[in-house]
Amino acid sequence: MAKFKLERQPAPLWTRIAIPIASIIVTFIITSILLVLAHANPFVAYYNFFITPLSSQVSALEVLVKASPLLLTGAAVTFAFRAGYYNIGAEGQLIAGATAAAGLGMVLGNVPPVLAILIMIVGGFAGGMAWALIPALLKAKLAVDEVVTTLLMNTIVTFFVSFLLNGVWRDPVSGWPQSPQIAASAVFPKLVPRSRLHLGFIVAWVVVIIIWIVITRTPFGIKMRATGLNKSAAKFAGVNIDRTMLIAALVSGGIAGLAGVGEVAGINFHLIDAISPGYGYTGIIAATLGGLNPWGVSIAALFIALIDTGAQTVSRSMSVPIYLGNVVQATLLLVTLAFLILQNYRIKRV
Amino acid sequence: MDTFIIGLLAATLRVATPLIFGTLGELFAERAGILNLGIEGTMFIGAFVGFAVAEKTGSLWVGFLAAILVGVLCGLLMGFFTVTLGVNQHVSGLGITLLMTGLSLFLFRLIYGENKVVPSITPFGQVSIFGNLPILGPIFNQYLLTYLALLLIPVVWFVIYRTNFGLKIRAAGENPEATDAAGVNVYQIRYLALGIGGGLMAAGGAFLSLAQLGSFIFGIVNGRGWVCIALIIFGNWHPVKVLLGALLFGLVNALQLRLQTTGLKLPYELFLALPYVVTILALVLSGRNAAGPSAILKPYRRE
């Protein structure tokens, strides 16, 4: 019997293109089972899923609206993972950023718009950073596993938000569990009139460019990548790995916080319980699909936003449950993971 | 006051039940060297499948068994990624959690539509063992599944520490190379541990829908899987110490529920968050000395 062996080897460039495409095709084939279960023709459904949202300006802009938080959470996760810090807490950090933005937005009524928006952005970044601080410190100082603590912090922040929304922040006007509306001066301006596309989309791209520069073009980026690739080797080479991970974790939290600012200042204008449908976790999908490369991650974030919008279209027009979008995204993540093995290994006959 | 404390202790066991199932499941996986972050999704789909099958067949036990079966499949899927392919355990586990959560929500909507009325079943009733004991009686007024969870703790302890199979699991998690050299199939052991673990996790989820609630709601698991992951570290990968953590978590949560019903004006959300905070504190206290299986997170490749 012939024996085979997996051998590690660097990926040729063509596989970096071929693997995402192959992953997408395999994902469609698998998830079409669910469409058949829902009595929907898979071909029609996937047309509605991917072509319909792009065929009108309104829905194409909506894809970009959905992409704004994902670009940021994707960037946040990428930044931490590249430094070998497994921040699973982007979801909680996003919510903390949104909470900070909602709090600031309430009191910025007399501040001129440009300054108010700047304060919102800085405040949201600080909010996300603050929520990332405890797990980051525990990791750097006491070597407590960050995966567990960041996950737990995600749950804690949701309780904290319901505490605020059912108590001190309950909107006196509507009586709903939502914070009072933020001041008009703190609202992100629209990029396209009569759409929901807001300043957050630009903020997201600025962040993507910055993290790309930091990761690839700065001394800190070299330390980060060294820490992420091999902690003991980095330490041996004189990198302060604890400090590097701490900074990467805090910046990552801040970036995720910015996603929360956009949702409050650009979309909802209140803090609500359901401020994020899991953008933080979806950011991990984007980061993995994009191979932890800022540009790749951004393309993945746009694609995931298309899946989200497409799921809405299919749900409305073909009465397929909207959660098809979640299944497609998760399947895509797992299929890509499986394919990535092919990128790093070559099958060899021995 | 006596009835308050007795009620509290009874509620503690109830709250701890899904956590015991979940942590024992995670324990199998981690002892064999795999951190299974799929636990949250596995519990979720266990809750869904348990409910849906029980609702369709009219049998709670058939629902419970179906949930376990699906949980085993989730564990084996995790095995495909982390054992066969050897890819990143964090990301595979999260992927499985996202997939199982999405799949449950999709199928729930497909089967039950968008009814305003939440579909429900008659859940498991509580049975009273030693119910006629003075004062303490009500503590023993529990679901059979709670007794099953408690019974499983010594069983799992025995399997892991006193059987050949358990030795192989521990060896696969500590030093897979040496285990392999000793003639044990590490891949097979890890698959088995993940499968058993997945079944236990799903049983924990099914307890929530089949006993505690009698229905399936979207927030049914609500981070309990992550708590289980933390309890393992808190309990130093030991089934009995893990029980203490689960009981502590249950106690804080039960206290919060009790205090709410007394009509005291308390910020109950903060009480709900308290066990999670306590868990992080416990990690800080035990984390530095935590000695997990050495080969955890490391894929094993036979050369």
Side-chain angles (χ1 to χ4, degrees):
Chain A
M1 203 175 87
K3 287 209 161 188
F4 295 93
K5 175 177 167 184
L6 287 171
E7 198 171 72
R8 220 172 213 288
Q9 67 156 43
L13 184 69
W14 69 269
T15 60
R16 294 198 200 171
I17 314 284
I19 283 177
I21 294 173
S23 306
I24 291 168
I25 294 170
V26 171
T27 301
F28 290 170
I29 296 171
I30 296 175
T31 46
S32 55
I33 299 169
L34 294 184
L35 287 166
V36 173
L37 278 180
H39 305 295
N41 178 329
F43 294 100
V44 180
Y46 280 122
Y47 183 86
N48 283 331
F49 219 102
F50 294 104
I51 310 297
T52 311
L54 296 178
S55 56
S56 82
Q57 198 203 352
V58 178
S59 53
L61 286 173
E62 197 55 27
V63 174
L64 302 184
V65 171
K66 287 246 172 2
S68 307
L70 290 175
L71 285 164
L72 285 164
T73 52
V77 171
T78 301
F79 201 76
F81 277 32
R82 281 303 280 270
Y85 181 88
Y86 284 95
N87 179 17
I88 315 292
E91 180 76 4
Q93 291 141 15
L94 180 154
I95 296 172
T99 308
L104 289 169
M106 278 182 238
V107 297
L108 287 174
N110 297 322
V111 179
V114 176
L115 185 61
I117 285 167
L118 212 60
I119 295 175
M120 294 284 278
I121 290 175
V122 173
F125 192 89
M129 220 162 139
W131 207 252
L133 181 68
I134 296 174
L137 277 179
L138 291 180
K139 170 75 175 184
K141 305 287 173 202
L142 298 171
V144 175
D145 183 41
E146 76 276 19
V147 172
V148 177
T149 46
T150 50
L151 275 172
L152 290 172
M153 293 295 280
N154 289 347
T155 312
I156 295 174
V157 78
T158 58
F159 288 126
F160 182 65
V161 165
S162 12
F163 163 70
L164 288 175
L165 297 184
N166 291 322
V168 283
W169 276 9
R170 185 187 282 269
D171 190 359
V173 183
S174 69
W176 290 102
Q178 58 181 25
S179 70
Q181 188 152 353
I182 59 170
S185 60
V187 171
F188 275 6
K190 296 259 179 287
L191 300 182
V192 179
R194 287 189 302 282
S195 79
R196 300 203 301 163
L197 192 65
H198 57 83
L199 182 68
F201 187 65
I202 298 199
V203 172
W205 284 106
V206 171
V207 167
V208 169
I209 293 168
I210 293 175
I211 70 154
W212 172 70
I213 293 173
V214 170
I215 294 174
T216 60
R217 300 277 187 278
T218 66
F220 182 74
I222 296 172
K223 287 184 197 165
M224 259 179 74
R225 283 179 289 150
T227 310
L229 285 174
N230 186 334
K231 290 200 176 70
S232 38
K235 200 171 184 175
F236 187 71
V239 176
N240 184 340
I241 58 166
D242 288 337
R243 187 159 165 271
T244 308
M245 279 195 287
L246 182 69
I247 295 172
L250 293 181
V251 172
S252 169
I255 296 172
L258 289 180
V261 178
E263 293 310 288
V264 168
I267 303 286
N268 285 297
F269 315 115
H270 303 268
L271 181 64
I272 51 172
D273 258 329
I275 193 77
S276 165
Y279 288 131
Y281 298 111
T282 322
I284 299 170
I285 301 184
T288 307
L289 295 185
L292 298 185
N293 168 302
W295 301 113
V297 174
S298 304
I299 295 170
L302 288 167
F303 186 69
I304 292 171
L306 178 61
I307 296 179
D308 266 340
T309 319
Q312 277 177 357
T313 323
V314 175
S315 153
R316 263 199 307 269
S317 60
M318 306 176 78
S319 63
V320 172
I322 193 164
Y323 300 102
L324 181 66
N326 304 46
V327 178
V328 172
Q329 288 168 5
T331 309
L332 186 57
L333 172 72
L334 290 172
V335 172
T336 309
L337 267 182
F339 272 110
L340 280 177
I341 271 289
L342 296 178
Q343 181 177 305
N344 293 328
Y345 290 93
R346 199 168 55 135
I347 298 170
K348 204 180 152 193
R349 243 185 134 122
V350 285
Chain B
M1 201 59 204
D2 277 354
T3 53
F4 179 83
I5 290 173
I6 297 298
L8 185 68
L9 293 178
T12 298
L13 284 173
R14 262 198 302 284
V15 177
T17 305
L19 299 175
I20 295 172
F21 279 115
T23 42
L24 291 180
E26 185 68 31
L27 195 73
F28 269 101
E30 292 198 16
R31 272 306 180 119
I34 312 282
L35 173 72
N36 188 358
L37 291 185
I39 183 172
E40 180 82 8
T42 306
M43 288 179 83
F44 196 79
I45 204 164
F48 163 69
V49 168
F51 170 78
V53 171
E55 198 264 341
K56 294 295 172 204
T57 62
S59 162
L60 295 166
W61 286 108
V62 173
F64 189 68
L65 291 177
I68 291 176
L69 185 68
V70 170
V72 171
L73 293 177
C74 292
L76 297 181
L77 185 64
M78 181 71 185
F80 174 69
F81 284 98
T82 56
V83 179
T84 302
L85 299 179
V87 294
N88 182 305
Q89 295 184 5
H90 292 139
V91 181
S92 326
L94 278 173
I96 284 172
T97 284
L98 293 172
L99 178 63
M100 295 311 156
T101 311
L103 200 58
S104 308
L105 294 174
F106 178 89
L107 293 173
F108 183 78
R109 273 286 156 80
L110 195 63
I111 299 170
Y112 297 102
E114 295 201 36
N115 281 335
K116 286 276 185 291
V117 188
V118 183
S120 64
I121 48 171
T122 311
F124 280 114
Q126 298 181 345
V127 287
S128 179
I129 304 181
F130 314 123
N132 43 11
L133 269 183
I135 307 169
L136 291 178
I139 297 182
F140 298 98
N141 197 14
Q142 298 285 357
Y143 300 106
L144 269 181
L145 291 180
T146 300
Y147 284 110
L148 179 64
L150 291 172
L151 195 69
L152 274 171
I153 291 164
V155 171
V156 169
W157 175 85
F158 184 81
V159 169
I160 287 185
Y161 289 100
R162 290 289 182 272
T163 66
N164 194 24
F165 176 57
L167 179 66
K168 286 177 183 168
I169 288 182
R170 282 181 292 140
E174 290 296 338
N175 192 339
E177 290 80 11
T179 312
D180 194 336
V184 177
N185 185 340
V186 173
Y187 291 7
Q188 189 188 44
I189 288 292
R190 288 189 165 178
Y191 262 105
L192 281 171
L194 281 166
I196 296 170
L200 287 167
M201 294 168 187
F207 171 84
L208 293 168
S209 60
L210 295 178
Q212 197 158 307
L213 285 176
S215 62
F216 176 79
I217 55 167
F218 287 10
I220 193 163
V221 177
N222 200 16
R224 282 182 179 85
W226 311 139
V227 171
C228 292
I229 302 261
L231 288 176
I232 298 268
I233 304 175
F234 176 74
N236 223 347
W237 290 267
H238 191 284
V240 178
K241 290 182 198 157
V242 158
L243 169 71
L244 294 179
L247 289 177
L248 180 68
F249 189 97
L251 180 69
V252 178
N253 228 317
L255 186 66
Q256 169 272 126
L257 283 169
R258 297 274 130 181
L259 289 176
Q260 261 188 69
T261 56
T262 57
L264 277 169
K265 262 238 167 271
L266 284 166
Y268 74 93
E269 299 92 349
L270 296 188
F271 272 92
L272 281 172
L274 199 58
Y276 297 81
V277 178
V278 171
T279 307
I280 291 182
L281 286 177
L283 285 182
V284 174
L285 296 177
S286 66
R288 212 192 319 213
N289 306 319
S294 332
I296 201 159
L297 295 177
K298 293 187 192 115
Y300 176 63
R301 279 243 158 275
R302 207 168 171 193
E303 294 299 339

